[in-house]
Each structure stands twice: as C-alpha cells, then as structure tokens.
Amino acid sequence: MGKFSSLNRAEQLNKLNSTNFDMLVIGGGITGAGIALDASLRGMKVAVVEMQDFAAGTSSRSTKLVHGGLRYLKQFQVGLVAEVGKEREIVYENGPHVTTPEWMLLPMHKGGTFGPLSTSIGLRVYDFLAGVKRSERRKMLSAQDTLAKEPLVKKDNLKGGGYYVEYRTDDARLTIEVMKAAVDNGATVINYTKAEELLYDDQKKVVGAKVKDLIANNEFTVSAKTVINASGPWVDEVRNKDYSKNNKKLRLTKGVHLVIDQSVFPLQQAIYFDTPDGRMVFAVPRDGKAYVGTTDTFYDTDISSPKMLAEDREYILKAIHYMFPNVKVTEKDVESSWAGVRPLIYEEGKDPSEISRKDEIWEGDSGLITIAGGKLTGYRKMAESVVDLVSNRLTEKDSTVTYKSSMTKSYPISGGNVGGSKGYPSFLSKKENEASSFGFTAEEGRKLAAMYGSNVEKLFEYGKQYDKEDSKLSRVVFAQLMYSIENEMVSKPVDFFIRRTGALFFHIDFVREWKEIVIDEMAEKLSWTPEQKQEYTGQLEKEIEDAVVPVDLKK
C-alpha cells in the first residue's frame, strides 16, 4: 500500500500537522500537482491540500486536449502559442498512457471564419511556433479529401480543410499521475482538506495555514516557509484571506460538453469547427462515443459544481446540426455531459472567447504567491516558473540552502515508464500477452495498460488476489477499485467514477451497473458510518442526474 492511500489518511494528516514544510500548495488540480512534482524533485519538503478531490474542479472538466491554442493566433497571442505548443510533446513523452496525438480536421466553408489562405498560413505559423515535428506538420486538403476524412461534414460551400495534430488527454488522470509522481518524491498530499485561514509571523509574512479535514471534521495547522495559491477558480477566494492583495482578479467562464454514442453520431475524425456566431467547437471521438463542446459564457454562480443548462445543450446540439446536417441528434441522445469553469484573468470589455489564457504569478506583501490563469497544456512550465520563484525566495532567507534546477522536462510521471512514445506500442502488446496470467483477457489487459501505464503491474497483482466467491465485483472493477483506494487516495464513490475512471462521462451505464456494489465495498474497506454512506451515495446520484438532466428542466 502506497503513501497515496485513503487507508493511510490519518498518518498523512498527522505528517501535515507535525512537519515544517518548505512549501504549502493550496489546490490539488493540475497546476498544484505540477508545482508539487517540480518542487519535490528539487529537494523541497512539499505539502498539498485540496478541499475537494484532486482534479475535481477545472482539471477534470476541460475539453481533454493538450492543445497549442490555434485560435489564439487570431488574437496575436504569439508567445502563448509558442510556449504551450512546445509543451504538448513534453507532456506526451512523459506520460504516453494519458496523452496521445490526435489528427484534427478544420473544415473550411465559404463565408466561414477560416479561408484556405489564412488557414494555410495560420497552420504553417502554428507549426513553426510550436516546434511541430515533421511527421505531424499541417496538411491542406481539398473538399473531396476533407469529406474522405469525415463524410459527416457539411458539404454545402465546403472549400477544403486544414489537417493538423493536437494531443488528446484524460485530464483528470493526467493530474492524478502527476500528483502520484510528487508523492513518490516525498510530497505529502491530502484531498478533502480546506485551507480556512492563513497564518503569519511577527513580520506579517505568511507561514502556513489553518486547515480543516472535511471528512473527519477536524482542524489542524500546516507550517511552511512559503505558501502557494494554486486554487484555480478559487484563487480570489484564497487571496481574500490575505491582508495583501493587488487589484487583479479572475473572470470565470463556463464550458459545457455533451457525450453522444457513436451509433447515433458516427464521428470518425476529430473536428475543430466554427459556428454561425463565430465561436469554435471541438467534436472528438473517444471510446465509442463522440463528445462535443464547448460553450463559452461568463459564469459567477456555484464554482464547485457548475451545471449544464438547457440553453447550453441547445447551443451544442445546434452546432452539431450546423456542421453535420445529416446527424439527427436530439436531447434524448445525450448520454452524459460535464460543465467546467475556466479561471481567466479579468480584462475589461472582452468577451469570454477573447480573454487571454495566459498565466500570471502574483506575489503579495505577505509573501503569498498566487498562480492565476493559464491552460492545462502549460501546467509544467507554469509550475517551473513558480518553483523558480520559490527557490529564489528560500535561498534569499537562507544562503546555505540550494535547490536544483527544474527536472520535469524529461521526468516520466507516474505510470509513464513505458519507454516513451516509441516504446509505448510494444509495452501495450507485452501487457496484452501477460494479462491471462493474472486472470484477465488480452483485451482487458491492453485496456488497463493503456489507462494505467507502467502501474498496470499493480492492477495485475490485484487481479491475482481477486476471489470470485468473496467479491460481487468483476475482476477488472475489483482491480481498479482496490488500486484507486490504496494507491490513488479515492475517498468517495464520485472520486472513483468521475476522476479515476472517467466512467460517469464516457460510460454512464457502467456507473449505473456497478455503483451499489462499489459503494458497499468502499463502505466496508474505508469503515464509513451509515451517515457517510448515505451522504456519499447521494453525491453520486446527484452527479449522475446533473450529467443527464439540464438543471432548469428538473421538476
């Protein structure tokens, strides 16, 4: 059992309370995970507190693409495109099991946002700025070739298409794997712990936080030489606890994605297309489903659980009908959905789609360091910048202390020891062949290896321990559940079904099939009280309902 286990929760909480850390990170999304990994690799003692589950906010509710932001070229954000474009391949090489290249088709229609010349030039500049390797550089397609790639695309006034590579990812699992790598390097990381109050020394410098364990309802203190606010949409909420604050603030926008079975929407090619109002939408095939989004609207209500509205669903369905006129999708075909909040830095007078996705670091007089804005793709570089600053601040305080430079550029995340992108296919084949020795079919073995990377060895061991007479779960579900509890700090059913497996978004029938047995197994293993079991069951039921029913259509 690893240090990142729900069964070791009390031990980890005690460590938080009794250690003087170099760094306390508030926020367990991809930014906080990246900072924890970078800092722990440099030799810093790191603590991370997250008031929900890891990746429960923005980091599990994105478009699930590690992409370079082609549309930011239209806004002349050249530096942003160059930086995050180069980061895509780094993220891919460090974890091929959670990120994979995906050819993207950009259809061009007469009167649309993109014309052949501007698209060709834009994609060429994009290739140059992002340092795209030769095999993945853009191609320009005729109308006929565009339809050959995706016959569902609107034929009327089709002029051709651009064809270029983006990278598809499982955003929540990427976050979990980065966080696990941080834990492997000594970081102390806990979910469902909220920083309630910042603590200061005699010079009014921040030296830690009062933290509440939201599961046991206990309060304790975390002491640290530096405190990092990496709380995404909650950045301003944390800054409001500090006496020193600049005049910058966040502007939140909401995005919604719909999931439709490919039997209804037989999409075979990832598409990036414009809508009549000029917004850009992705349609991406994944695991027998097609997911489509996103909307882009200002948002200022419940940050912790944004919902799909009827108007969001209607907008995306209209976008599908506009670009794929022969696809007869209705609201009844929407199997699941998710809504997420983007924490953007406020720019007066700008529409949601126009606000920069650039990140900024703010340092208060108290010493509180805040990282705001940014994109999933740039998480590693953002973390490097923050930890560089922390390293400078710590050595200023104590000249006898030195820290290494960032090592994350070529450091495999948890599960990433598969021989890089070149070795990954043979790794999958090997695990497929080994699967039967542990009671799995070849197909199950390959799927588990593709999901967990080099950590699949541990799942295979759980498969060996499986006792059909003792468990009502299947061997695969048993292995996934035991691994997630003992190695990925799953505390509640929603953690397992949303963030660790993605099932609630992409295989909602799987959730309905296994939820009761999973809840029973978790209740026994984690010693829940009857009240906890009822509460956690209710949370899962609410998530299932919200994924399917728009909030304003509920009776």
Side-chain angles (χ1 to χ4, degrees):
M1 193 189 310
K3 295 175 185 174
F4 202 43
S5 167
S6 296
L7 301 176
N8 288 343
R9 187 176 179 85
E11 181 186 323
Q12 297 304 305
L13 287 168
N14 183 58
K15 190 175 178 184
L16 278 182
N17 194 33
S18 60
T19 306
N20 187 20
F21 293 94
D22 295 312
M23 176 194 292
L24 167 62
V25 182
I26 300 172
I30 188 61
T31 306
I35 292 168
L37 175 58
D38 193 302
S40 60
L41 281 169
R42 299 197 205 193
M44 295 180 191
K45 281 193 285 188
V46 181
V48 180
V49 294
E50 163 57 51
M51 70 173 182
Q52 301 186 105
D53 182 32
F54 308 111
T58 304
S59 298
S60 61
R61 298 173 178 275
S62 72
T63 305
K64 307 188 186 301
L65 293 170
V66 175
H67 66 102
L70 175 65
R71 71 188 178 94
Y72 306 132
L73 277 182
K74 289 170 64 181
Q75 301 162 10
F76 301 103
Q77 296 180 41
V78 174
L80 178 63
V81 173
E83 183 173 294
V84 299
K86 290 184 175 73
E87 284 296 305
R88 298 179 310 164
E89 192 164 354
I90 295 171
V91 175
Y92 171 43
E93 288 295 338
N94 289 341
H97 62 302
V98 286
T99 305
T100 187
E102 177 96 40
W103 280 94
M104 188 73 63
L105 179 63
L106 182 67
M108 300 174 298
H109 291 85
K110 185 178 180 181
T113 304
F114 294 94
L117 181 60
S118 62
T119 300
S120 179
I121 293 171
L123 288 174
R124 187 181 289 275
V125 172
Y126 183 72
D127 283 348
F128 172 75
L129 291 173
V132 174
K133 55 190 175 188
R134 187 177 297 275
S135 63
E136 295 182 358
R137 289 179 189 165
R138 71 99 173 93
K139 302 170 185 175
M140 297 305 296
L141 306 178
S142 66
Q144 187 176 357
D145 290 337
T146 300
L147 290 171
K149 295 288 183 191
E150 183 47 78
L152 296 175
V153 165
K154 181 173 63 172
K155 298 177 179 62
D156 291 351
N157 296 315
L158 180 65
K159 301 179 79 173
Y163 202 49
Y164 68 106
V165 169
E166 293 287 23
Y167 287 69
R168 181 163 57 86
T169 192
D170 184 326
D171 50 3
R173 287 218 56 83
L174 173 64
T175 303
I176 298 298
E177 300 291 34
V178 174
M179 197 69 88
K180 282 156 64 182
V183 171
D184 288 342
N185 283 282
T188 303
V189 178
I190 308 278
N191 53 3
Y192 297 106
T193 47
K194 184 178 182 182
E196 299 265 81
E197 180 185 337
L198 298 176
L199 302 174
Y200 303 91
D201 64 13
D202 295 342
Q203 282 76 48
K204 296 184 73 175
K205 296 296 184 183
V206 66
V207 289
K210 279 187 180 176
V211 177
K212 186 172 185 179
D213 174 10
L214 298 177
I215 289 182
N217 220 24
N218 299 324
E219 281 198 343
F220 57 96
T221 297
V222 180
S223 301
K225 295 172 187 174
T226 54
V227 178
I228 312 299
N229 175 13
S231 55
W234 292 270
V235 151
D236 285 345
E237 187 176 309
V238 173
R239 290 168 71 223
N240 287 338
K241 301 178 192 295
D242 188 30
Y243 70 86
S244 64
K245 185 179 172 185
N246 63 19
N247 58 2
K248 296 256 189 172
K249 63 179 180 179
L250 294 185
R251 188 66 163 109
L252 305 181
T253 70
K254 186 185 78 170
V256 174
H257 297 78
L258 306 184
V259 179
I260 299 155
D261 195 83
Q262 281 185 303
S263 63
V264 181
F265 184 8
L267 187 72
Q268 60 189 42
Q269 164 70 58
I271 308 277
Y272 186 37
F273 63 97
D274 53 354
T275 59
D277 64 3
R279 294 190 218 174
M280 299 300 297
V281 170
F282 286 99
V284 182
R286 171 177 163 167
D287 299 337
K289 312 293 178 184
Y291 70 91
V292 188
T294 177
T295 58
D296 210 355
T297 52
F298 285 130
Y299 186 76
D300 57 7
T301 49
D302 184 5
I303 303 173
S304 60
S305 55
K307 306 289 193 299
M308 168 183 65
L309 302 179
E311 61 198 60
D312 298 322
R313 186 178 65 181
E314 184 182 355
Y315 178 87
I316 295 173
L317 289 174
K318 281 183 177 177
I320 294 171
H321 298 149
Y322 169 75
M323 185 52 62
F324 310 100
N326 293 325
V327 175
K328 308 303 181 188
V329 172
T330 70
E331 58 265 21
K332 292 178 183 177
D333 298 312
V334 177
E335 289 190 356
S336 186
S337 70
W338 68 88
V341 177
R342 302 181 191 88
L344 308 178
I345 298 167
Y346 177 73
E347 294 179 70
E348 190 172 350
K350 289 202 172 182
D351 290 333
S353 300
E354 296 174 332
I355 298 178
S356 173
R357 270 57 174 170
K358 186 78 179 80
D359 57 278
E360 291 185 15
I361 298 173
W362 305 330
E363 191 173 7
D365 291 340
S366 67
L368 178 68
I369 295 171
T370 295
I371 176 77
K375 287 167 55 61
L376 172 73
T377 310
Y379 87 87
R380 191 203 66 84
K381 196 68 179 173
M382 290 161 60
E384 183 180 321
S385 299
V386 170
V387 183
D388 282 346
L389 177 59
V390 171
S391 178
N392 290 336
R393 292 293 176 265
L394 291 176
T395 51
E396 284 169 8
K397 290 178 185 175
D398 184 352
S399 59
T400 64
V401 176
T402 56
Y403 295 103
K404 303 169 188 172
S405 299
S406 178
M407 299 164 59
T408 55
K409 194 169 185 179
S410 57
Y411 188 85
I413 61 176
S414 183
N417 291 304
V418 296
S421 61
K422 288 183 179 175
Y424 185 54
S426 60
F427 165 81
L428 290 178
S429 297
K430 183 182 177 188
K431 297 306 163 189
E432 185 177 25
N433 294 332
E434 291 176 1
S436 60
S437 304
F438 301 92
F440 298 106
T441 66
E443 183 184 6
E444 287 170 342
R446 189 176 185 88
K447 282 184 177 178
L448 287 173
M451 190 168 186
Y452 297 94
S454 52
N455 289 320
V456 74
E457 305 287 355
K458 292 181 181 176
L459 283 105
F460 280 178
E461 286 302 319
Y462 284 112
K464 218 172 193 178
Q465 296 167 20
Y466 175 73
D467 184 347
K468 192 174 183 180
E469 303 300 318
D470 190 47
S471 177
K472 294 178 182 176
L473 296 168
S474 71
R475 190 183 301 269
V476 169
V477 180
F478 172 82
Q480 288 186 289
L481 182 61
M482 292 304 108
Y483 178 78
S484 68
I485 291 172
E486 297 187 357
N487 299 273
E488 295 187 336
M489 203 168 271
V490 156
S491 299
K492 301 181 181 182
V494 289
D495 306 340
F496 178 70
F497 284 116
I498 300 178
R499 266 86 57 182
R500 304 307 184 277
T501 63
L504 192 135
F505 296 155
F506 293 101
H507 302 285
I508 200 162
D509 287 342
F510 172 92
V511 182
R512 294 186 177 113
E513 179 183 359
W514 292 108
K515 63 182 180 179
E516 290 177 13
I517 304 172
V518 164
I519 287 168
D520 287 343
E521 294 268 355
M522 290 185 72
E524 183 179 347
K525 193 162 182 69
L526 297 172
S527 303
W528 292 344
T529 64
E531 292 77 18
Q532 283 178 313
K533 185 175 181 180
Q534 184 178 6
E535 179 188 349
Y536 301 159
T537 300
Q539 288 174 358
L540 179 59
E541 295 293 354
K542 182 80 164 52
E543 290 286 357
I544 294 170
E545 184 184 6
D546 287 343
V548 178
V549 184
V551 68
D552 50 347
L553 292 187
K554 292 177 185 174
K555 294 179 181 178

